[in-house]
Amino acid sequence: MTTRPALIIANGELPDPKLWSDLLQHNPLLVAADGGAERLTAHGLTPHVVIGDLDSLSSADALRMSGARIIRVTDQETTDLEKALDFLLQAGTERVTVLAATGLRSDHTLANFSILLKYHRRMDIRFRDAFSEISVVEGERTLALVPGTLVSLIPMEPCIGVTTVGLQWNLRQESLAPGVRESISNRVVSSPVVIRIDRGRSLLFVGLVL
Amino acid sequence: MTTRPALIIANGELPDPKLWSDLLQHNPLLVAADGGAERLTAHGLTPHVVIGDLDSLSSADALRMSGARIIRVTDQETTDLEKALDFLLQAGTERVTVLAATGLRSDHTLANFSILLKYHRRMDIRFRDAFSEISVVEGERTLALVPGTLVSLIPMEPCIGVTTVGLQWNLRQESLAPGVRESISNRVVSSPVVIRIDRGRSLLFVGLVL
């Protein structure tokens, strides 16, 4: 089954739509995680689906009138972003970009990165903010990137045998770990860039070329 | 040796000085990590010390004229925040608050949390942003907190045997781990709050009562 890609608006800082107008061009399913709905309507966009415990949503009726499907899920164990992702998994969605997953409350930012680790094996999931596209690297990834692009590898669990090709400061069978070592603001010198991790998963930040 | 507490301005989003005017009242040593210096001067404050590779600092001469001590450290292996912390450790500083450690580039935010883990055993170090005070819990911590305060425990390494007292959803010998489980937006119901972790360290976010 192939479904259209989804765009989730989470609880952080929503970048200016100019920075994600490309994502809107492919008619994605627009999903607002709870209060994210109001950030969308502030930009003249109506979500197709609003999901969450709806405790931070004051405009549910207006959204329903505009054709949004409102799904209330009360569950103390999962955040609104997880509720939105669970809904999409059940709908068979294969590719999700999450906006507003970073910025504002940094406990939310960190918890959202943790969610990226929880879901990346089940769907093609990435975050996009005003500065970068953020995804998980496990095993090997090959990326076509413009030389000069900033690349950071920041693990949330120990990573062993990290090797890169195509960066200014390449790693060769090195270890990265939270509180020990990360690779921040590395830079693409030749494409494709290859990143291989023998054991563990790392967050990958690819700077937007603006 | 007792030295005056230090306030470092890092590379993220500097909150409005109204939110940290309390920190300025105790005559702290004002240390700017590289470009953080310009964010301070924009608010009419002059750093006592500016430290970093100075590649993002265009006003070094003006700062020197204002009496700032400028220390250039070139070292690809450490970030400007680490350079500032190393300088303070050598100076015998015991207590450091870091501003602008979160926000803007989320790879920086995450790398700065990693630095919090690297340094917390050597000094009393905490981050402060517009939303919370962020520190590391290892072993047991007792905190006097106003009921209603938001508290998040978000680990960057597995934490085993996590027990809390005084929160709305208390943990009882539970496990937290990145990509598995965290405790976000818990709430103080009675003070003092006690947090105990048998093994591992967690980031602790205490919401500011504004």
Side-chain angles (χ1 to χ4, degrees), chain A residues 25-198:
Chain A
Q25 282 163 15
H26 305 289
N27 186 32
L29 182 69
L30 269 178
V31 180
D34 214 289
E38 275 148 17
R39 262 171 267 177
L40 264 185
T41 52
H43 287 293
L45 292 162
T46 303
H48 300 109
V49 180
V50 183
I51 193 158
D53 58 15
L54 308 184
D55 58 358
S56 45
L57 190 71
S58 57
S59 58
D61 287 343
L63 284 161
R64 211 175 273 116
M65 294 284 282
S66 311
R69 183 177 163 198
I70 312 266
I71 304 173
R72 183 158 181 261
V73 185
T74 54
D75 168 4
Q76 282 298 343
E77 285 299 302
T78 60
T79 66
D80 292 321
L81 176 54
E82 285 172 289
K83 290 175 177 72
L85 290 168
D86 288 341
F87 166 79
L88 291 173
L89 277 174
Q90 281 170 25
T93 302
E94 290 161 359
R95 181 169 177 155
V96 177
T97 303
V98 184
L99 293 163
T102 65
L104 303 182
R105 273 179 56 180
S106 54
D107 54 345
H108 283 170
T109 298
L110 200 56
N112 287 343
F113 285 143
S114 181
I115 288 171
L116 199 52
L117 285 176
K118 275 181 212 172
Y119 285 81
H120 81 100
R121 287 179 184 149
R122 291 182 277 171
M123 60 210 312
D124 176 353
I125 177 173
R126 59 199 64 198
F127 291 173
R128 174 90 84 88
D129 62 21
F131 304 92
S132 12
E133 184 179 88
I134 308 157
S135 59
V136 174
V137 181
E138 179 169 28
E140 186 169 308
R141 274 271 287 283
T142 301
L143 305 112
L145 295 172
V146 176
T149 303
L150 283 177
V151 169
S152 295
L153 274 172
I154 307 188
M156 290 181 74
E157 62 186 31
C159 289
I160 293 169
V162 185
T163 301
T164 64
V165 175
L167 301 180
Q168 187 164 6
W169 297 281
N170 279 314
L171 301 169
R172 295 182 184 81
Q173 284 290 321
E174 291 172 58
S175 295
L176 301 177
V180 183
R181 188 162 179 238
E182 48 277 326
S183 169
I184 190 159
S185 295
N186 213 323
R187 207 173 270 279
V188 176
V189 288
S190 65
S191 189
V193 167
V194 182
I195 300 165
R196 200 180 64 234
I197 303 175
D198 289 345

Side-chain angles (χ1 to χ4, degrees), chain B residues 56-127:
Chain B
S56 45
L57 189 71
S58 59
S59 58
D61 286 344
L63 284 161
R64 211 174 272 116
M65 294 284 282
S66 312
R69 182 177 164 197
I70 313 266
I71 304 174
R72 184 159 180 260
V73 185
T74 54
D75 168 5
Q76 281 299 343
E77 286 298 302
T78 59
T79 66
D80 292 322
L81 176 55
E82 284 172 288
K83 291 175 177 72
L85 290 168
D86 288 342
F87 166 79
L88 291 173
L89 277 174
Q90 280 170 26
T93 302
E94 289 161 0
R95 182 168 176 156
V96 177
T97 302
V98 184
L99 292 163
T102 67
L104 303 182
R105 273 180 55 182
S106 54
D107 54 345
H108 283 171
T109 298
L110 199 55
N112 287 342
F113 285 143
S114 181
I115 289 171
L116 198 52
L117 285 176
K118 276 181 211 172
Y119 284 81
H120 82 99
R121 288 180 184 150
R122 291 182 277 171
M123 60 211 312
D124 176 353
I125 177 173
R126 61 198 65 198
F127 291 172

Side-chain angles (χ1 to χ4, degrees), chain A residues 105-108, chain B residues 19 113 116 126-137 141-154 167 183-188 191 193-195 202-210:
Chain A
R105 273 179 56 180
S106 54
D107 54 345
H108 283 170
Chain B
L19 294 175
F113 285 143
L116 198 52
R126 61 198 65 198
F127 291 172
R128 173 90 84 89
D129 62 22
F131 304 92
S132 13
E133 184 179 88
I134 308 156
S135 59
V136 174
V137 181
R141 275 269 287 282
T142 301
L143 305 110
L145 295 172
V146 176
T149 303
L150 284 177
V151 169
S152 295
L153 273 172
I154 307 188
L167 302 180
S183 169
I184 190 159
S185 295
N186 213 325
R187 209 172 269 281
V188 175
S191 191
V193 167
V194 182
I195 300 166
S202 178
L203 295 181
L204 168 68
F205 297 74
V206 176
L208 299 183
V209 181
L210 301 174

